[in-house]
Amino acid sequence: MTVRIDRFVLAQRRLRAAVLGAAWLVATLSAPLSGAGADPASPAQIRALLAAGRDEAALAALTQALAAAPAAPAELQLLLAETHWHRQQPAAAAEAATRALALLGAGDDDAALRQQALRLRGLAAAEQRHTDAALADLREAEGLSRVREGADSAGHAALLGDLAFAQRMAGDYGGAMTSLEAALAIQRPRAASDPMPLALSLLRLGQAQRISGDVVRAEASYREALALAGRAPDPRGRLRADLLYALANLERHRERIEEAIVWYAQAVPAFEQAYGTDSLKLARVLNNYGNAESVRYGRREAAVALYRRALAIALRNPAANPGDYLPLSNIAMVDVWRGRHREAEAGFRAMLGRLEAMPAASEATPLFVQHGLAAALWGQGRHDAAFAAAAAAEHTRQASLRDVAAGLSDQQTLMFQEQEYATLDLAVAIALASGRPALIERAWSLAIAARGQVTAIQAARLSQARTRLASDPAIAPLWQEWLAASSLLEGARLATADDTAAQVRFQRAERRLAQALPKGVAIADVQPGLDAVRAALPPDSALVWMIPVAHRRAEDFASREMHDREREWHALVLEAGSGTPVRVLRLGPARALAAEVAAWQARLATPESDPAQLRAAGVQVASRIWQPIARTTSARRVFVIADAPLQRLAWAALPDGAGHLLDGDRLVHVLNHEEELLASTTPIDAPRYSVLALADPHTGPSGPGTDRRAGCRRPWPPLPGARREAARLQALVAASEAAPMLALVGAAASEAAFRNAAPHAAIVHLATHGTDAAPAPDCRDATGHRGVGFVAEAPPAATTAAALVLAAPAPDSGNPDDGLLGGLEIAALDLHRVRWAVLAACTTAAGPTRHYEGLDGLARAFRIAGAGTVIVSLWPVDDTATAAWSEALYRARFQSQADTTQAMRSAQRQVLATRKAAGLSTHPFYWAGFLALGDWR
């Protein structure tokens, strides 16, 4: 008996309430379907059993029907595949779907069956982590559905959700989100009458969001799905069980362990009822439940019991999905904590053999196992082998980052990287513990490869999009949408409005732009090794890498104790020349050092602070940071690479002897990345302007050019010092042999003028106000300062925007610009000709510091756009003092051909000397407020 099941197979997943309520279904479910003399069940009867959750009865009926029809039609094979899928037997489902495909012809009826067979085989392959095969089948099925049922059909939406499942299994989280967003747009209008498809898509979206690090949106997706699940027909109870498990994993990811335990305790019985007590899906819940218990003090035995129960289920039900054997590695993890390193090694190696072929970015990545193997080997004192395993783990982490970045937005990629995979930390700790220079240098080379990956990916992505605008018609609308969405987002943030809708639009626009570009645009150039960096160091110089290290012993691997314990700052010193090995300094506990730096820099940023207290605080910081370095190397020029808070350190103001570091002959320069030491080999066209200076923009008495911090709508005060510095800079350039300078002052200092001129300048100088969206209830008068003080170290998840104030367009001009130049607008520009970007506004070094990436905010935006060196302010700078500093900076650059470090020192010394001669305050607030980041030349 052959029945056309055109739309049924997709509708069956949605478990239509109307079907369940039909009278004929009641009769079907109550009638015997097998036994002596009974006719074989019809496909319609079998489908009704599946819709009611009676999978075993459906299998029995199918077995009888297949026995009665040796030449089984494709439809029966398809129903068998469907039944095996519901019974959690993906291998059997794939085999039955393959048999169905072999029996199908090319007719219209067969097209519907082919679509469903491809769907089931693709889902089964994804469940077994055969992701290439899964994606091929599900993409073909999705294409058939789009043609047959329509792009806006419920069936097409369901297949988009299935495709997203396979994309997530393959580690393509951005692609999964894009597919699910398209599905949700179709399903939301239908949710009132059929909530199940929307709930399932929201569950899948939350999973992709959580894995990519976007936990806030993941929780929102899960909560919405949970509310829908309460009114969706779910005879097996599987949707509710899956949501309980998802919420448990989310809370564990957020390190809210007690909340996670509550959810896991509900998920286990729900899975036992929905999937069975010997189900591989239940085993996965038990494994992650054990992970939550393992980080609770005194609960390791409970964790191991859960791991062993999960592993027993996996061994009784051999599966193709290697992730089902992860309890092996988790038991090995506990063995490491117990000091049983040989047993741990055996467990990790057994698991690694199952995972080695898995994609680096997948949920079954070998990263954790490689990481654990390194710890087990370290515990045995086998430093070479341990470091090799740690290096393999770090290479996997870096590869996974590059893979996911191809489909995620920049901010999503940053969130993915911010997740705690301490593989580089472990490699560094093993190298330090070994005391072997060769391992220490290899660890540093690993760090070079890790540093700045996301920034380089975003720079390459935007650069490629710009260059393809003229040649690829598909890029132009995506680029325009990205620009519009970024402007909307920055406007919402700076206006302190709810930016949720703008954020969603922007993330979608950036993902779609990324997905339209060739995959792997990530990083074109191979990162230099430490040997190349050593060779690039100029004579009489040293490079210092300052890093906080968490691991101290093998047992710290993935442990709660390491998480709770304070990190230890180290400095690694590499001197120019080939004969000197890297030297290691221990600088002390991270929290104490951070507190001392914060106290000192708070006094630096306050010109009224007591000089004696200021110096005492500075002496304490110098004794912890600068003096150990100075004792280790006599190099005249010191390059520094550091994580927060040391990346923002006012080095020149550190007490040194009777004066400051500024007074001696030692030069300190901060790098974003070691590759900035290497001379660029990329040819650069001659710039049209030697300097583009925007100064004292006219903001108007009202409108977008006002100080828009919460509770504050006053016009920005004028900056007469900025006008003077622009005029003096013009005179300096005119007296040199450099290309002409373009000065945009007052009303001419607009966003449009900046966008047009900046790509053609060697130096961009912005003498204006800086602003952010931080609340300012007192709305204090900013006269004499260039804007408001940004939040110096916002948390990584902070969404506060920062911008430079430019000339505000007239309210009735029709100009879409808002007079605020934000980071996304800057990043969109091509500034590869810009050697210096001087941000002479308040606290332009502010913003979060990203792990591996350095300063975020305006400084990173200029780096993405291609600027070589970004000069930023550390606090709200004084207008008059900044004008004097700027003049001295450019005098050194144009008249003395000073490099960046020399020009910075010359400017600081000149301001200090001038103020001293005039009897003015010589507080470092007036002369030490700027920091150069990037190329030192």
Side-chain angles (χ1 to χ4, degrees):
M1 175 179 183
T2 301
V3 178
R4 187 171 186 262
I5 59 168
D6 188 28
R7 292 180 181 268
F8 135 75
V9 285
L10 299 171
Q12 170 233 305
R13 291 167 57 249
R14 300 188 290 273
L15 305 175
R16 300 259 182 212
V19 173
L20 288 173
W24 65 267
L25 178 59
V26 175
T28 297
L29 296 178
S30 59
L33 293 173
S34 61
D39 291 332
S42 70
Q45 290 174 312
I46 297 169
R47 289 196 296 270
L49 290 169
L50 290 173
R54 295 180 60 186
D55 302 333
E56 298 305 320
L59 180 61
L62 268 168
T63 301
Q64 183 184 25
L66 288 167
E75 185 179 11
L76 285 181
Q77 292 292 346
L78 189 55
L79 280 170
L80 183 62
E82 184 95 19
T83 302
H84 284 314
W85 175 250
H86 284 300
R87 296 179 71 247
Q88 306 302 305
Q89 295 177 325
E95 291 171 1
T98 299
R99 289 194 296 271
L101 286 167
L103 292 167
L104 290 172
D108 287 344
D109 288 354
D110 284 353
L113 295 173
R114 178 175 179 79
Q115 175 184 315
Q116 177 66 348
L118 287 166
R119 169 189 168 264
L120 285 168
R121 191 170 71 173
L123 286 171
E127 182 68 23
Q128 298 173 90
R129 307 295 175 128
H130 301 155
T131 52
D132 289 343
L135 289 169
D137 280 349
L138 287 166
R139 283 185 174 127
E140 185 178 350
E142 183 268 330
L144 286 171
S145 175
R146 191 181 335 110
V147 172
R148 292 183 53 261
E149 300 173 288
D152 293 328
S153 67
H156 184 237
L159 267 165
L160 285 170
D162 293 336
L163 175 61
F165 170 66
Q167 289 170 318
R168 178 168 67 86
M169 292 298 100
D172 181 10
Y173 307 119
M177 290 183 211
T178 298
S179 296
L180 287 164
E181 286 168 351
L184 289 168
I186 299 167
Q187 291 164 341
R188 283 195 185 280
R190 296 173 165 88
S193 59
D194 190 9
M196 177 65 81
L198 178 60
L200 178 59
S201 291
L202 286 166
L203 167 63
R204 287 170 163 171
L205 179 61
Q207 290 167 331
Q209 290 167 329
R210 194 265 303 170
I211 296 164
S212 64
D214 194 351
V215 294
V216 174
R217 286 188 175 79
E219 181 175 15
S221 297
Y222 290 154
R223 296 283 183 183
E224 185 181 356
L226 194 61
L228 289 166
R231 57 186 183 86
D234 185 15
R236 295 177 181 85
R238 289 179 177 176
L239 177 62
R240 179 178 176 276
D242 290 343
L243 282 165
L244 293 172
Y245 178 43
L247 285 162
N249 286 338
L250 177 68
E251 296 298 354
R252 183 171 61 84
H253 181 93
R254 297 165 109 171
E255 299 179 355
R256 289 159 47 169
I257 301 302
E258 298 307 318
E259 292 87 342
I261 292 292
V262 171
W263 288 112
Y264 282 123
Q266 296 178 65
V268 168
F271 268 73
E272 290 174 336
Q273 180 177 352
Y275 293 100
T277 57
D278 206 42
S279 163
L280 288 169
K281 285 188 175 288
L282 172 63
R284 295 168 199 166
V285 179
L286 295 169
N287 182 59
N288 281 316
Y289 192 173
N291 287 334
E293 288 283 19
S294 73
V295 296
R296 301 171 80 195
Y297 289 111
R299 296 291 295 172
R300 287 178 181 172
E301 291 298 333
V304 170
L306 289 164
Y307 295 147
R308 293 195 185 283
R309 182 182 169 193
L311 183 59
I313 293 173
L315 294 173
R316 285 195 299 272
N317 300 274
N321 183 349
D324 290 326
Y325 300 94
L326 283 172
L328 277 171
S329 57
N330 290 328
I331 292 169
M333 171 185 69
V334 178
D335 282 337
V336 169
W337 296 342
R338 291 169 169 168
R340 299 167 55 182
H341 299 118
R342 291 187 184 278
E343 293 89 337
E345 178 190 356
F348 285 125
R349 289 197 186 279
M351 191 63 217
L352 191 58
R354 298 178 181 273
L355 293 177
E356 281 181 320
M358 298 305 297
S362 73
E363 293 174 67
T365 174
L367 189 154
F368 176 81
V369 180
Q370 292 166 328
H371 192 180
L373 178 60
L377 293 166
W378 183 17
Q380 298 173 57
R382 297 160 60 187
H383 291 102
D384 286 343
F387 182 85
E394 174 59 16
H395 285 308
T396 299
R397 188 197 67 79
Q398 293 178 22
S400 72
L401 182 69
R402 290 191 293 271
D403 287 347
V404 302
L408 293 180
S409 72
D410 180 52
Q411 287 300 309
Q412 287 170 326
T413 308
L414 287 169
M415 286 189 290
F416 180 85
Q417 182 169 247
E418 291 288 338
Q419 299 176 92
E420 187 58 34
Y421 299 118
T423 48
L424 179 60
D425 187 277
L426 179 63
V428 172
I430 292 169
L432 294 176
S434 76
R436 295 181 52 198
L439 288 188
I440 293 170
E441 294 197 7
R442 287 172 61 190
W444 197 334
S445 291
L446 272 179
I448 292 172
R451 210 180 317 281
Q453 278 200 99
V454 181
T455 300
I457 288 168
Q458 181 70 348
R461 173 187 294 169
L462 297 183
S463 175
Q464 188 176 50
R466 288 191 298 264
T467 58
R468 290 166 63 98
L469 281 172
S471 61
D472 188 345
I475 295 297
L478 296 172
W479 178 254
Q480 291 303 318
E481 169 60 11
W482 183 84
L483 292 175
S486 63
S487 178
L488 181 68
L489 176 59
E490 289 196 314
R493 287 176 174 176
L494 287 161
T496 63
D498 182 0
D499 68 354
T500 302
Q503 182 72 255
V504 169
R505 178 180 172 184
F506 175 73
Q507 301 286 13
R508 182 185 302 120
E510 190 157 274
R511 282 202 315 272
R512 289 179 176 173
L513 179 63
Q515 291 158 10
L517 298 170
K519 190 170 182 178
V521 73
I523 300 176
D525 299 327
V526 176
Q527 300 294 332
L530 196 63
D531 287 341
V533 171
R534 179 188 274 114
L537 281 168
D540 198 16
S541 70
L543 175 62
V544 180
W545 174 31
M546 308 179 78
I547 177 176
V549 179
H551 287 86
R552 297 183 190 175
R553 55 180 189 152
E555 292 76 14
D556 287 340
F557 161 65
S559 72
R560 178 69 176 267
E561 289 82 0
M562 184 191 75
H563 181 274
D564 293 344
R565 190 178 60 229
E566 190 169 5
R567 294 182 176 228
E568 180 102 5
W569 274 98
H570 291 71
L572 278 61
V573 181
L574 175 71
E575 292 187 302
S578 59
T580 306
V582 172
R583 282 174 280 187
V584 179
L585 309 175
R586 284 177 168 77
L587 304 181
R591 292 178 195 140
L593 187 57
E596 290 165 3
V597 169
W600 177 57
Q601 298 220 147
R603 289 184 169 91
L604 285 174
T606 308
E608 302 83 12
S609 62
D610 179 81
Q613 293 179 352
L614 171 65
R615 185 160 187 86
V619 166
Q620 182 65 22
V621 172
S623 69
R624 295 280 297 276
I625 298 173
W626 171 245
Q627 289 177 11
I629 295 171
R631 288 193 297 267
T632 302
T633 177
S634 60
R636 178 174 171 273
R637 191 187 294 264
V638 178
F639 299 101
V640 173
I641 292 178
D643 290 340
L646 302 186
Q647 193 174 27
R648 288 192 187 89
L649 199 67
W651 289 90
L654 282 170
D656 188 37
H660 299 90
L661 188 54
L662 176 69
D663 303 321
D665 62 353
R666 309 285 288 271
L667 291 164
V668 178
H669 179 79
V670 180
L671 302 172
N672 299 297
H673 194 290
E674 289 88 343
E675 69 179 353
E676 291 165 341
L677 289 167
L678 280 66
S680 174
T681 58
T682 304
I684 298 177
D685 300 336
R688 186 181 305 168
Y689 310 111
S690 61
V691 180
L692 166 65
L694 280 80
D696 191 23
H698 174 69
T699 60
S702 62
T706 58
D707 180 348
R708 297 191 294 171
R709 293 169 293 157
C712 188
R713 299 269 326 165
R714 69 171 60 208
W716 294 108
L719 296 170
R723 287 182 177 255
R724 287 195 300 273
E725 71 191 69
R728 291 169 182 169
L729 179 52
Q730 186 117 40
L732 283 171
V733 173
S736 71
E737 298 180 359
M741 169 179 159
L742 176 62
L744 301 173
V745 180
S750 67
E751 286 184 80
F754 177 81
R755 286 194 298 266
N756 291 333
H760 306 289
I763 295 174
V764 170
H765 184 88
L766 291 148
T768 181
H769 290 288
T771 186
D772 66 7
D778 59 348
C779 194
R780 65 190 177 119
D781 189 351
T783 302
H785 288 175
R786 296 193 175 183
V788 300
F790 300 144
V791 179
E793 179 59 49
T799 56
T800 297
L804 297 166
V805 178
L806 299 184
D812 57 352
S813 66
N815 188 331
D817 292 338
D818 60 3
L820 296 170
L821 183 67
L824 293 172
E825 295 169 294
I826 293 164
L829 300 173
D830 178 6
L831 302 183
H832 76 276
R833 296 183 183 87
V834 174
R835 298 292 302 275
W836 277 7
V838 183
L839 313 187
C842 280
T843 329
T844 48
T849 303
R850 299 286 186 175
H851 198 32
Y852 301 105
E853 303 297 320
L855 293 185
D856 204 349
L858 295 173
R860 181 170 181 265
F862 275 97
R863 286 175 59 203
I864 289 171
T869 304
V870 185
I871 301 177
V872 292
S873 57
L874 297 170
W875 49 73
V877 292
D878 177 78
D879 183 39
T880 302
T882 299
W885 171 86
S886 296
E887 181 181 0
L889 180 77
Y890 290 108
R891 190 178 300 280
R893 187 69 162 180
F894 286 108
Q895 293 185 355
S896 303
Q897 286 72 54
D899 61 41
T900 299
T901 315
Q902 293 167 338
M904 288 287 294
R905 180 174 67 175
S906 179
Q908 290 167 334
R909 284 179 170 179
Q910 182 63 49
V911 173
L912 178 58
T914 300
R915 294 186 69 84
K916 186 180 294 185
L920 298 173
S921 170
T922 58
H923 192 289
F925 170 85
Y926 295 102
W927 54 265
F930 285 92
L931 178 70
L933 299 165
D935 192 343
W936 62 277
R937 297 167 183 84

